[in-house]
Amino acid sequence: MATWAIQTWDVSAYYGKGQRRVEALKDVSLQVRQGEIFGLLGPNGAGKTTLLSCIEGLHRPDRGSICVAGVDVLRNPTQAKRRLGVQLQRAALIEGLTAVELVEVYAALYDVYPARHAIMALLNRFGLADQAHKRAKQMSGGQQQRLALAIALVTDPQIVLLDEPTEGLDPHARRALWAMIRTIRDESRTVVITTHRMDEAESLCGQVAIMDAGRVVACDAPGQMIAAMDARPVLRAAVELSAEAAQPLDGAVRVRRSGEYLEVETTDPMATLQSLYALAARHGRAVRDITVRQPSLEDVYLRLTGRTLG
Ligand SMILES: Nc1ncnc2c1ncn2[C@@H]1O[C@H](COP(=O)(O)OP(=O)(O)OP(=O)(O)O)[C@@H](O)[C@H]1O
Ligand SMILES: [Mg+2]
């Protein structure tokens, strides 16, 4: 078995011609290890969906090459496709069909004809046993997302590609879906997800690639990215003290005011907090609403793309 689930070399892809030409991917080179959850992050229009389409063989890149489980997608598209399970966008669920029928239809596209009990087991796995004979349009958003996952797995693929699988879900449903995605990984499959949520990427993904305007601007394990940024925790508290007055606090590296809050980048949050209390007491001020925030993937993302995610 190949070590890499997905490899791309200098993949560039365009849409349109002439003045309307959009360069959606620019020299994208990535390696996705087998058996891990790999996250593609980036603002709207970064090229995430285009990259997935190229990997799926739906969009032909203008330059570069792509291998899926060692199979060249451009030379052997049919063989490559057999290794992939793709989560359909919700819109692609034909509304008039029931869950069972949808699973059957998509399996048949891959020449796979599962027995009814296998389909029921699959639906059951994703908490959809009681939805088996419901039409897609009668299902909630969360149920449709889970049905899309079930469909992605019906061909027993080595690699599963999920484009914004948790978009539009409430926090509870989102976490339930994370658990399902982990079970897919635990079966030794490789999962690639796109997401706009940093907490999701940090919690789920072994590796993430941050994309911006068609390029990969960083690719690493979330923890490594955060460590490489060399950022410090930030102590935040509502207190009526100026940034200048707070500058000498123990452990403080940088101090600034943000509205009624004092924000202190610190090497030692506990020491800073203690000396903040002492300082506030000397000035007869109260300290309220204290939080300490560790540097996160959100900070990395902000530094690399200059944007926050909505
Ligand atoms: N079918 C298309 N025709 C023309 N341009 C397109 C097409 N699809 C995407 N693009 C353009 O290609 C670029 C990359 O789009 P893509 O959909 O891959 O981004 P994305 O990272 O998936 O964004 P989002 O987070 O909004 O889903 C964008 O500039 C987009 O406008
Ligand atoms: Mg997209």
Side-chain angles (χ1 to χ4, degrees), residues 231-236 249-255 263-273 292-295:
R232 296 178 187 86
V234 174
L235 172 76
R236 192 168 191 263
L249 290 176
D250 291 349
V253 178
R254 214 167 297 156
V255 184
E263 292 182 342
V264 186
E265 199 180 313
T266 170
T267 55
D268 187 344
M270 276 319 290
T272 305
L273 185 58
V292 176
R293 199 171 63 79
Q294 297 296 330

Coordinates of all heavy atoms in Angstrom, one line a residue, residues 231-236 249-255 263-273 292-295:
A231 N 3.5 32.4 19.7 CA 2.6 33.4 20.4 C 2.4 33.0 21.8 O 2.7 31.8 22.2 CB 1.3 33.4 19.6
R232 N 2.1 33.9 22.6 CA 1.9 33.7 24.1 C 0.4 33.8 24.5 O -0.4 34.4 23.8 CB 2.7 34.7 24.8 CG 4.2 34.6 24.6 CD 5.0 35.6 25.3 NE 6.3 35.5 24.9 CZ 6.8 36.2 23.8 NH1 6.0 36.9 23.1 NH2 8.1 36.0 23.4
P233 N 0.1 33.2 25.6 CA -1.3 33.4 26.1 C -1.6 34.8 26.4 O -0.7 35.6 26.6 CB -1.3 32.6 27.4 CG 0.0 31.9 27.6 CD 0.9 32.5 26.6
V234 N -2.9 35.1 26.3 CA -3.4 36.5 26.6 C -4.3 36.5 27.7 O -5.3 35.8 27.8 CB -4.1 37.1 25.3 CG1 -4.7 38.5 25.6 CG2 -3.1 37.2 24.2
L235 N -3.9 37.3 28.8 CA -4.8 37.5 29.9 C -5.6 38.7 29.7 O -5.1 39.7 29.3 CB -3.9 37.7 31.2 CG -4.7 38.1 32.5 CD1 -5.4 36.9 33.1 CD2 -3.7 38.7 33.5
R236 N -7.0 38.5 29.9 CA -7.9 39.6 29.6 C -8.7 39.9 30.8 O -9.2 38.9 31.4 CB -8.8 39.2 28.4 CG -9.6 40.3 27.7 CD -10.1 39.7 26.4 NE -10.7 40.7 25.6 CZ -12.0 41.0 25.6 NH1 -12.8 40.3 26.4 NH2 -12.4 42.0 24.8
L249 N 3.7 44.7 34.9 CA 3.1 43.5 35.5 C 4.1 42.3 35.3 O 4.7 42.2 34.2 CB 1.8 43.2 34.9 CG 0.6 44.1 35.2 CD1 -0.7 43.6 34.5 CD2 0.3 44.1 36.7
D250 N 4.2 41.5 36.3 CA 5.0 40.3 36.2 C 4.6 39.5 34.9 O 3.4 39.2 34.7 CB 4.9 39.4 37.4 CG 5.5 40.1 38.6 OD1 6.2 41.1 38.5 OD2 5.2 39.6 39.7
G251 N 5.6 39.1 34.2 CA 5.3 38.2 33.0 C 4.8 38.9 31.8 O 4.8 38.3 30.7
A252 N 4.4 40.2 31.9 CA 3.8 40.9 30.8 C 4.8 41.1 29.7 O 6.0 41.6 29.9 CB 3.2 42.2 31.2
V253 N 4.4 40.8 28.4 CA 5.3 41.1 27.3 C 4.7 42.3 26.5 O 5.4 43.2 26.1 CB 5.3 39.9 26.3 CG1 6.2 40.1 25.1 CG2 5.8 38.7 27.1
R254 N 3.4 42.3 26.3 CA 2.7 43.4 25.6 C 1.4 43.7 26.3 O 0.7 42.7 26.7 CB 2.5 42.9 24.2 CG 2.6 44.1 23.2 CD 2.6 43.5 21.7 NE 3.8 42.7 21.5 CZ 3.9 41.7 20.6 NH1 2.8 41.5 19.8 NH2 5.0 41.0 20.4
V255 N 1.1 44.9 26.4 CA -0.2 45.3 27.1 C -0.9 46.2 26.2 O -0.3 47.2 25.6 CB 0.1 46.0 28.4 CG1 -1.2 46.3 29.2 CG2 1.0 45.1 29.3
E263 N -5.7 43.9 27.9 CA -5.2 42.6 27.3 C -3.7 42.5 27.5 O -3.0 43.4 27.0 CB -5.6 42.5 25.9 CG -7.1 42.4 25.7 CD -7.5 42.2 24.2 OE1 -6.7 42.5 23.3 OE2 -8.7 41.8 24.0
V264 N -3.3 41.5 28.2 CA -1.8 41.3 28.5 C -1.3 40.0 27.9 O -1.7 38.9 28.3 CB -1.6 41.3 30.0 CG1 -0.1 41.3 30.3 CG2 -2.3 42.5 30.7
E265 N -0.4 40.2 26.9 CA 0.3 39.0 26.4 C 1.3 38.7 27.4 O 2.1 39.6 27.8 CB 0.9 39.4 25.0 CG 1.2 38.2 24.2 CD 1.9 38.6 22.9 OE1 1.3 39.5 22.2 OE2 2.9 38.0 22.5
T266 N 1.4 37.4 27.8 CA 2.2 37.1 29.0 C 2.9 35.8 28.9 O 2.4 34.9 28.2 CB 1.3 37.1 30.3 OG1 2.1 36.6 31.4 CG2 0.1 36.2 30.1
T267 N 4.1 35.7 29.5 CA 4.8 34.5 29.6 C 4.3 33.6 30.8 O 4.6 32.4 30.8 CB 6.3 34.7 29.8 OG1 6.5 35.5 30.9 CG2 6.9 35.4 28.6
D268 N 3.6 34.2 31.7 CA 3.2 33.6 32.9 C 1.8 34.1 33.4 O 1.8 35.0 34.2 CB 4.3 33.7 34.0 CG 4.0 32.9 35.2 OD1 2.9 32.4 35.4 OD2 5.0 32.8 36.0
P269 N 0.7 33.6 32.9 CA -0.6 34.1 33.2 C -0.9 34.2 34.7 O -1.4 35.2 35.2 CB -1.6 33.2 32.5 CG -0.8 32.5 31.5 CD 0.6 32.5 31.9
M270 N -0.4 33.2 35.5 CA -0.7 33.3 37.0 C 0.0 34.4 37.6 O -0.6 35.2 38.4 CB -0.3 31.9 37.6 CG -1.4 30.9 37.5 SD -3.1 31.5 37.8 CE -3.0 31.8 39.6
A271 N 1.3 34.6 37.3 CA 2.1 35.7 37.9 C 1.5 37.0 37.5 O 1.4 37.9 38.3 CB 3.5 35.5 37.5
T272 N 1.1 37.1 36.2 CA 0.6 38.4 35.7 C -0.7 38.7 36.5 O -1.0 39.8 36.9 CB 0.3 38.3 34.2 OG1 1.5 37.9 33.6 CG2 -0.2 39.6 33.7
L273 N -1.6 37.7 36.7 CA -2.8 37.9 37.3 C -2.6 38.4 38.8 O -3.3 39.3 39.2 CB -3.7 36.6 37.3 CG -5.1 36.7 37.9 CD1 -5.9 37.8 37.1 CD2 -5.8 35.4 37.8
V292 N -8.2 33.8 30.3 CA -6.9 33.6 29.7 C -7.1 32.8 28.5 O -7.8 31.7 28.5 CB -6.0 32.8 30.7 CG1 -4.6 32.5 30.0 CG2 -5.8 33.5 32.0
R293 N -6.6 33.3 27.4 CA -6.8 32.6 26.1 C -5.4 32.1 25.6 O -4.5 32.8 25.5 CB -7.4 33.5 25.1 CG -8.0 32.8 23.9 CD -8.8 33.8 23.1 NE -8.0 34.8 22.5 CZ -7.2 34.6 21.4 NH1 -7.2 33.4 20.8 NH2 -6.5 35.6 20.9
Q294 N -5.3 30.8 25.4 CA -4.1 30.2 24.8 C -4.1 30.5 23.3 O -5.2 30.6 22.7 CB -4.1 28.7 25.0 CG -4.0 28.3 26.5 CD -2.8 28.7 27.2 OE1 -1.7 28.9 26.6 NE2 -2.9 29.0 28.5
P295 N -2.9 30.6 22.7 CA -2.9 30.8 21.3 C -3.5 29.7 20.5 O -3.4 28.5 21.0 CB -1.4 30.9 20.9 CG -0.7 30.8 22.2 CD -1.6 30.5 23.3

